[in-house]
Amino acid sequence: MSKTSEEARPVRPPDPHPSGARPPAIPPELVPRHVALVMDGDGRWAKQRGLPRTEGHKEGESSLLDVIMGAIELGIPYLSAYAFSTENWRRHPDEVRFLMGFNRDVIHRRRDLLNEMGVRIRWAGRRTRLWRSVIRELEYAEQLSAGNTVLTLQFCVNYGGRAEIADAAAAIAAEVAAGKIRPDKIDERLFARYLDEPGIPEVDLFVRSSGEQRLSNFLLWQSAYAELVFLDTLWPDFDRRHLWHACEIYAGRERRYGGAVPNVISDSGVS
């Protein structure tokens, strides 16, 4: 039997936080299985400092790496990062070009470290319009890390929740037209198999930085029952401690999925 990449080599532990902070003592059953991250606030962070927006994006790279390490420390098995949306093409062409090259270079720079830490990288998003060099880096990172099991990091690049749902519907329609699927057999379980990464579980905790309180077309299907936490911190100032704080908020919430427990009504004093 062949060994997985993690059995064949030691896994590098995450670097400790510079402050010495340690993850909170959240019971394992209350740690979110899948956390979705909207990394918002790069532009405002740069504007506050009189810098171009691109400097905010650069600063945000270290924030993501620190959050990944914090997720590993806390025992979160799945993390999704919104790196470039289908709507981001509307930005100024100079910023789009920067983001394309930046996403490519971040994956190239960090893939070996992430692989050493046992991180499996997956890519969700459309190939259309995406630079070929970006696709090559994403696909190589997926292949390199395929055997890792410590944490699955889903990079959402050229991704949109509505686009993902529309693409899944189109694929199912093609299967129906080909006689491979009966229309009366289409249900939520079948539909989910046609999403970009059907092997990744639904989102438990949806976290957005910068104080904005929107989903912004991110993992719409997967976040149907996610707990939403919006933090005021701009993304370049965000680190693993903010992730842990969001997880503490999550652990304190009651998730009922549409169900409810009957109210206990005391009959004391009732004649």
Side-chain angles (χ1 to χ4, degrees):
M1 182 182 294
S2 62
K3 293 183 178 181
T4 67
S5 59
E6 289 184 46
E7 292 172 330
R9 58 171 173 78
V11 175
R12 170 179 170 164
D15 296 337
H17 191 268
S19 72
R22 297 295 302 156
I26 300 174
E29 67 274 15
L30 296 181
V31 172
R33 190 175 181 211
H34 181 187
V35 176
L37 281 173
V38 177
M39 304 176 289
D40 192 24
D42 290 353
R44 275 169 284 168
W45 182 93
K47 185 177 181 180
Q48 288 175 0
R49 290 158 178 79
L51 300 170
R53 290 175 57 85
T54 52
E55 292 303 311
H57 297 314
K58 291 177 183 178
E59 193 70 22
E61 178 181 348
S62 59
S63 296
L64 177 58
L65 183 61
D66 194 76
V67 166
I68 292 168
M69 291 184 176
I72 294 173
E73 288 182 310
L74 190 57
I76 296 168
Y78 295 91
L79 188 69
S80 292
Y82 208 4
F84 189 90
S85 77
T86 49
E87 290 73 36
N88 286 157
W89 294 104
R90 302 171 186 166
R91 295 188 178 183
H92 191 280
D94 289 343
E95 184 174 2
V96 169
R97 281 192 293 272
F98 171 83
L99 288 170
M100 282 291 102
F102 182 65
N103 278 302
R104 176 196 62 208
D105 296 344
V106 166
I107 297 160
H108 183 82
R109 277 195 300 270
R110 301 298 187 179
R111 69 189 182 200
D112 290 336
L113 173 59
L114 294 174
N115 186 47
E116 289 170 8
M117 293 193 297
V119 175
R120 180 177 73 129
I121 295 175
R122 301 298 300 167
W123 164 39
R126 284 178 164 174
R127 301 176 73 92
T128 309
R129 298 182 71 183
L130 204 54
W131 287 9
R132 284 194 293 271
S133 59
V134 177
I135 294 173
R136 283 197 299 269
E137 289 294 343
L138 286 164
E139 290 180 339
Y140 181 80
E142 284 187 319
Q143 295 166 8
L144 177 69
S145 63
N148 295 340
T149 59
V150 173
L151 169 75
T152 294
L153 174 64
Q154 180 176 219
F155 268 121
C156 297
V157 184
N158 198 24
Y159 174 87
R162 288 180 174 179
E164 181 183 28
I165 292 169
D167 290 347
I172 292 171
E175 299 272 70
V176 170
K180 297 179 181 179
I181 297 175
R182 286 171 42 189
D184 62 339
K185 295 299 182 182
I186 299 172
D187 57 15
E188 293 177 19
R189 187 183 297 272
L190 183 146
F191 192 95
R193 295 206 301 265
Y194 287 80
L195 298 174
D196 287 356
E197 288 292 334
I200 294 179
E202 293 188 354
V203 176
D204 294 307
L205 173 60
F206 187 109
V207 180
R208 183 174 187 140
S209 62
S210 88
E212 300 293 345
Q213 299 186 19
R214 296 186 298 274
L215 299 183
S216 291
N217 199 23
F218 187 43
L219 296 175
L220 298 179
W221 179 280
Q222 298 87 338
S223 298
Y225 277 100
E227 295 296 323
L228 310 180
V229 174
F230 302 106
L231 301 178
D232 290 336
T233 306
L234 300 176
W235 180 250
D237 293 326
F238 204 98
D239 65 21
R240 71 187 78 181
R241 294 170 297 181
H242 298 91
L243 171 69
W244 294 341
H245 176 54
C247 290
E248 289 180 302
I249 295 172
Y250 168 87
R253 292 184 181 174
E254 182 181 0
R255 306 183 77 200
R256 295 189 297 272
Y257 298 96
V261 177
N263 294 338
V264 178
I265 302 174
S266 173
D267 59 1
S268 61
V270 178
S271 58

